[in-house]
Amino acid sequence: MIELYYWPTPNGHKVTMLLEEVGVPYGIKPVDISAGDQFKPDFLRISPNNRMPAIVDHAPADGGAPIAVFESGAILLYLAEKTGQFLPADLRRRTTVLEWLFWQIGGLGPMAGQNHHFAQYAPEKIPYAVERYVKETNRLYGVLDHRLEDWPFIAGDYSIADMAAYPWIVPHRRQGQNLDDFPNVKRWFEAIRARPATIRAYEKGKPWMNRPAVTEEGKKILFGQTAASVGR
Ligand SMILES: N[C@@H](CCC(=O)N[C@@H](CS)C(=O)NCC(=O)O)C(=O)O
């Protein structure tokens, strides 16, 4: 049984997409990031960066004590290795999956995240910041479109690299992007959206999606954090 610490945001959806694909039993522990659940001591022991998603695997492959994993890329990698799915064993294909997984973790995710922040959440609209991140998101969509010219999925077969990127393309409109400008991304996006596991994964988030992932109250918790927030 996998315990999944989750909230229905792009980083949360990545993990439910993989768990639904592989069919490993899991239970969701909601982490309401607008209510400050990410600062609860029990959660910080699992995820010291006060971010979800995180998992606890109660039946690790070595038969030992439960293993906790934070950071969505590390979680995808851990679960792909545990199940032997969506990460090829072949050296070259595996390296490609990892390159694009890290591309999402270090590029698409943070840049689109800043795009969301300055375009939607910042109390004042700073045109330079909005334009900077809309443009950088646009560049990254261009990189992905180019990659998908010759491949059905990012690394050939459907893999954890696609599951990492897809949830960050879902909000393309609010990122100021038009999928018609990126025909290969559009084709890839539609193919992933239609997968039964993707549909099930997004359904999982529904019980908590009756209000914005970031509420007005939540902004105070989310956007003023310092070392003091984690007790330093
Ligand atoms: N690099 C992290 C990012 C995770 C992340 O930013 N999670 C956000 C929600 S999408 C969160 O938990 N925010 C809580 C907070 O900022 O305190 C990952 O990929 O897991």
Side-chain angles (χ1 to χ4, degrees):
M1 166 63 101
I2 302 287
E3 238 171 32
L4 169 62
Y5 291 80
Y6 164 91
W7 199 242
T9 71
N11 289 314
H13 294 309
K14 292 174 188 175
V15 183
T16 47
M17 283 174 73
L18 177 55
L19 286 165
E20 288 295 330
E21 290 283 351
V22 296
V24 168
Y26 67 101
I28 288 183
K29 301 257 185 192
V31 181
D32 183 343
I33 58 174
S34 274
D37 286 356
Q38 68 273 36
F39 293 108
K40 289 184 175 163
D42 284 355
F43 181 67
L44 285 175
R45 269 192 286 280
I46 292 165
S47 183
N49 195 38
N50 67 271
R51 298 284 188 274
M52 70 88 230
I55 60 165
V56 177
D57 180 2
H58 289 274
D62 63 3
I67 293 181
V69 189
F70 72 100
E71 278 293 323
S72 61
I75 297 168
L76 292 178
L77 191 51
Y78 178 88
L79 291 172
E81 284 181 335
K82 179 182 175 73
T83 59
Q85 295 184 65
F86 300 107
L87 176 64
D90 168 77
L91 173 67
R92 286 156 207 273
R93 290 167 58 221
R94 178 186 163 89
T95 302
T96 305
V97 170
L98 294 182
E99 275 177 333
W100 287 93
L101 175 64
F102 285 97
W103 172 82
Q104 189 287 315
I105 300 294
L108 181 63
M111 295 301 126
Q114 296 304 317
N115 177 326
H116 294 177
H117 181 82
F118 286 108
Q120 289 151 57
Y121 302 131
E124 41 173 326
K125 287 285 164 280
I126 306 162
Y128 176 83
V130 173
E131 193 184 326
R132 155 90 182 116
Y133 290 109
V134 169
K135 278 187 168 167
E136 179 60 2
T137 308
N138 190 258
R139 184 188 72 81
L140 291 160
Y141 274 54
V143 170
L144 183 57
D145 200 63
H146 192 48
R147 172 69 193 174
L148 290 167
E149 238 160 38
D150 299 322
W151 302 95
F153 295 104
I154 293 176
D157 293 333
Y158 189 53
S159 74
I160 54 173
D162 302 289
M163 295 177 217
Y166 173 85
W168 284 98
I169 304 293
V170 171
H172 50 271
R173 284 194 200 87
R174 66 186 178 108
Q175 293 165 6
Q177 311 302 322
N178 182 352
L179 283 197
D180 290 335
D181 298 338
F182 304 101
N184 301 302
V185 173
K186 191 172 182 177
R187 184 242 320 132
W188 165 90
F189 179 79
E190 297 299 347
I192 298 175
R193 182 161 73 158
R195 291 178 76 90
T198 306
I199 295 166
R200 288 198 302 275
Y202 276 76
E203 283 291 319
K204 287 278 171 180
K206 289 247 167 91
W208 301 284
M209 282 167 89
N210 53 359
R211 64 187 178 91
V214 175
T215 60
E216 281 308 310
E217 247 338 271
K219 285 181 188 172
K220 293 180 203 135
I221 291 169
L222 290 165
F223 302 143
Q225 296 177 15
T226 63
S229 312
V230 285
R232 285 290 179 274

